[in-house]
Amino acid sequence: SLELRNTVKEYDGGGETVRALADVDFSVAPGEFVAVVGPSGSGKSTMLNTLGLLDVPTSGTVRVAGRDATTMTDPERTRARREYVGFVFQQFYLIGNLTALENVTLPTVYHDDPDAEERARTLLDRVGLGDRHDHTPDELSGGQKQRVAIARALVNGPDVVLADEPTGNLDRDTGEQVLGEFAQVTERGVGLVAVTHDPQVAEFADRTVRIVDGRLTEASGEAAN
Amino acid sequence: SLELRNTVKEYDGGGETVRALADVDFSVAPGEFVAVVGPSGSGKSTMLNTLGLLDVPTSGTVRVAGRDATTMTDPERTRARREYVGFVFQQFYLIGNLTALENVTLPTVYHDDPDAEERARTLLDRVGLGDRHDHTPDELSGGQKQRVAIARALVNGPDVVLADEPTGNLDRDTGEQVLGEFAQVTERGVGLVAVTHDPQVAEFADRTVRIVDGRLTEASGEAAN
Ligand SMILES: Nc1ncnc2c1ncn2[C@@H]1O[C@H](COP(=O)(O)OP(=O)(O)OP(=O)(O)O)[C@@H](O)[C@H]1O
Ligand SMILES: Nc1ncnc2c1ncn2[C@@H]1O[C@H](COP(=O)(O)OP(=O)(O)OP(=O)(O)O)[C@@H](O)[C@H]1O
Ligand SMILES: [Mg+2]
Ligand SMILES: [Mg+2]
């Protein structure tokens, strides 16, 4: 459902070129849960942003639903992303003056969607925020904000969910609640790629890939570090 | 060095009153490393913000270096905080158009400090960011931003460091590097309170306290959950 082929991503930062992804091949199938692990600064968020069409690779291709996204125009890429991908960002990026409920329904305003609010409320309840629908982000804890971001990623019933450190601000029990939600989602044929430093998340995955200095290796079966 | 006595903190959020801290007694001594654990939403960040004089309690007292901070004026409280506390925020709060180095030296601009830059560079090197001094926050990974925030908290040689989820975006090895830095700091008599979901951090601590629904219990000795 989403694929990287020979993907390279270079940045200019601090006056030098950083090769964040160095010739990466990767794919996630419908219903598959892949964990991505690796040291801080190794390229995990870059990989997710490229897969999720938020960032254009320096070279190589990104395929979404069989089409090459690198040949799309920006509006086409944006449409493909909205239709196809749900994103949980490493730093959440909630809208400050909207409530939790409004933040979760935000991806649904681009089309006619009468049960968006009901779905949003259900998702918020299911990640343990039943009593926080009307709180704004600065009235929420770090982990609560993270859970709002997770609910928002799921509200449009995407085909693939890309989650960057989804349990990073959660205690063990709350993290398990979120993983239970993800398991339900993949059972319905949604693909899930979760970047994580949390061994608990990697355990739930069907396979694990490791990235070091922008290079990918399979780590499936062995304990993720 | 820092103390809470009968501290209560209530918020008005989502149209209701949230009792985030419910009569908390807590103290951290010079050179002591205390871990604070507990479920998402339990009051950990609120406790840290209150201890660090960023937030005024609803009732009860906060004592810093023997003085009652709740009777101070806002400018007095700000001065006490700058002099006494180093803070690592759960969401970093780096300044977007400043480099890593400039972010780390920011707490030093209020007074004459000719070796601030040198200390900042040393700290950045010691948290593994030797090659990222000139990157701005959007040219840094999540874990790299976190490490800049950690270096910034240490640059003024504070008496107490309050760290909210300091290893939340770090892999195991980078996390250990940061904990090594914290160990050096406490050896020099600095107190450290670290809110964490990471058992690795709690292991390093001299004692662990647990907070649930705004209430504190000791959990020293037993495995933190
Ligand atoms: N400004 C506010 N208005 C209303 N409620 C608030 C406000 N700030 C925090 N809260 C609530 O107070 C409680 C404690 O929040 P706090 O941020 O201290 O939790 P936490 O233990 O740090 O959680 P996490 O592990 O998720 O970071 C939460 O239930 C939160 O919803
Ligand atoms: N805009 C940019 N300009 C320059 N370098 C960048 C830029 N964005 C990211 N980088 C660098 O690219 C590398 C990969 O960054 P990325 O955010 O993908 O890492 P990560 O694996 O997600 O790390 P973490 O676990 O800390 O979140 C890092 O070394 C980072 O400094
Ligand atoms: Mg990242
Ligand atoms: Mg918190």
Side-chain angles (χ1 to χ4, degrees):
Chain A
S1 17
L2 269 191
E3 202 180 328
L4 297 178
R5 286 185 194 170
N6 298 117
T7 307
V8 175
K9 180 65 185 176
E10 288 176 348
Y11 294 115
D12 294 321
E16 44 157 29
T17 303
V18 177
R19 202 166 161 86
L21 291 181
D23 199 1
V24 170
D25 294 322
F26 176 83
S27 68
V28 54
E32 187 181 33
F33 181 168
V34 188
V36 178
V37 300
S40 174
S42 57
K44 305 180 297 299
S45 296
T46 302
M47 175 179 164
L48 230 57
N49 293 343
T50 310
L51 260 180
L53 314 183
L54 284 167
D55 222 350
V56 185
T58 309
S59 67
T61 57
V62 189
R63 305 191 69 82
V64 50
R67 298 163 55 206
D68 184 351
T70 45
T71 58
M72 292 179 186
T73 62
D74 277 354
E76 286 177 325
R77 191 174 302 121
T78 299
R79 232 179 4 259
R81 185 174 66 245
R82 275 193 196 143
E83 191 176 334
Y84 211 69
V85 186
F87 219 110
V88 185
F89 296 96
Q90 192 167 5
Q91 261 132 25
F92 324 151
Y93 298 136
L94 303 182
I95 309 297
N97 52 353
L98 300 182
T99 64
L101 181 67
E102 289 165 339
N103 267 284
V104 175
T105 54
L106 207 51
T108 68
V109 307
Y110 305 108
H111 46 264
D112 193 38
D113 195 343
D115 8 276
E117 180 174 320
E118 189 186 343
R119 290 200 314 276
R121 289 194 182 281
T122 300
L123 282 165
L124 284 169
D125 294 349
R126 291 170 63 141
V127 293
L129 293 178
D131 55 357
R132 291 285 183 274
H133 292 198
D134 301 326
H135 282 231
T136 54
D138 68 330
E139 297 170 347
L140 294 171
S141 76
Q144 289 167 343
K145 284 195 270 260
Q146 187 153 41
R147 286 179 270 158
V148 174
I150 289 162
R152 181 181 63 185
L154 298 173
V155 74
N156 266 340
D159 291 297
V160 186
V161 174
L162 304 179
D164 203 341
E165 308 283 358
T167 60
N169 283 282
L170 303 177
D171 61 281
R172 197 169 177 77
D173 294 345
T174 315
E176 264 183 47
Q177 192 173 358
V178 159
L179 288 171
E181 200 55 37
F182 283 164
Q184 299 244 1
V185 157
T186 52
E187 266 161 42
R188 282 180 237 130
V190 176
L192 169 65
V193 183
V195 165
T196 186
H197 294 301
D198 182 354
Q200 187 184 8
V201 174
E203 270 169 53
F204 259 70
D206 297 315
R207 69 182 160 102
T208 298
V209 297
R210 172 177 303 280
I211 181 165
V212 179
D213 293 330
R215 296 194 170 280
L216 217 62
T217 57
E218 282 295 321
S220 46
E222 24 167 352
N225 197 2
Chain B
S1 16
L2 270 190
E3 202 179 329
L4 298 177
R5 288 185 193 169
N6 299 117
T7 308
V8 175
K9 180 66 186 178
E10 288 174 348
Y11 294 115
D12 293 320
E16 43 156 31
T17 302
V18 177
R19 202 167 163 85
L21 292 181
D23 199 0
V24 170
D25 294 322
F26 177 82
S27 68
V28 53
E32 186 181 32
F33 181 168
V34 187
V36 179
V37 302
S40 175
S42 58
K44 304 179 297 299
S45 295
T46 302
M47 175 178 164
L48 230 57
N49 292 343
T50 311
L51 260 179
L53 314 183
L54 284 165
D55 222 349
V56 185
T58 309
S59 68
T61 57
V62 189
R63 305 191 68 82
V64 49
R67 297 164 57 205
D68 185 351
T70 46
T71 58
M72 291 179 186
T73 62
D74 277 354
E76 285 178 324
R77 191 173 303 119
T78 299
R79 233 180 0 260
R81 185 174 65 247
R82 275 194 197 142
E83 192 177 334
Y84 211 71
V85 186
F87 220 109
V88 185
F89 295 96
Q90 192 167 5
Q91 261 131 27
F92 323 152
Y93 298 136
L94 302 182
I95 309 296
N97 52 355
L98 300 182
T99 64
L101 180 67
E102 290 166 337
N103 267 284
V104 176
T105 54
L106 208 50
T108 68
V109 306
Y110 304 108
H111 46 264
D112 194 37
D113 195 342
D115 10 276
E117 180 175 319
E118 189 186 344
R119 291 200 312 277
R121 289 193 183 279
T122 301
L123 282 164
L124 283 168
D125 294 349
R126 291 170 64 141
V127 294
L129 294 177
D131 56 358
R132 291 286 183 273
H133 293 197
D134 300 326
H135 282 231
T136 53
D138 68 331
E139 297 170 348
L140 293 172
S141 76
Q144 289 168 342
K145 285 194 270 260
Q146 188 154 41
R147 285 179 270 159
V148 175
I150 288 162
R152 181 181 62 186
L154 298 174
V155 74
N156 266 340
D159 291 298
V160 187
V161 174
L162 304 179
D164 202 339
E165 308 283 358
T167 59
N169 284 281
L170 304 177
D171 58 287
R172 198 170 176 74
D173 294 345
T174 314
E176 266 183 47
Q177 192 173 356
V178 160
L179 288 172
E181 200 55 37
F182 283 163
Q184 300 244 2
V185 157
T186 52
E187 266 160 43
R188 282 181 237 131
V190 176
L192 170 66
V193 183
V195 165
T196 187
H197 294 301
D198 182 355
Q200 187 185 9
V201 174
E203 269 168 54
F204 260 69
D206 298 316
R207 69 182 160 101
T208 299
V209 296
R210 172 177 305 278
I211 181 163
V212 179
D213 294 330
R215 296 196 169 279
L216 216 61
T217 58
E218 283 293 322
S220 44
E222 23 166 352
N225 198 0

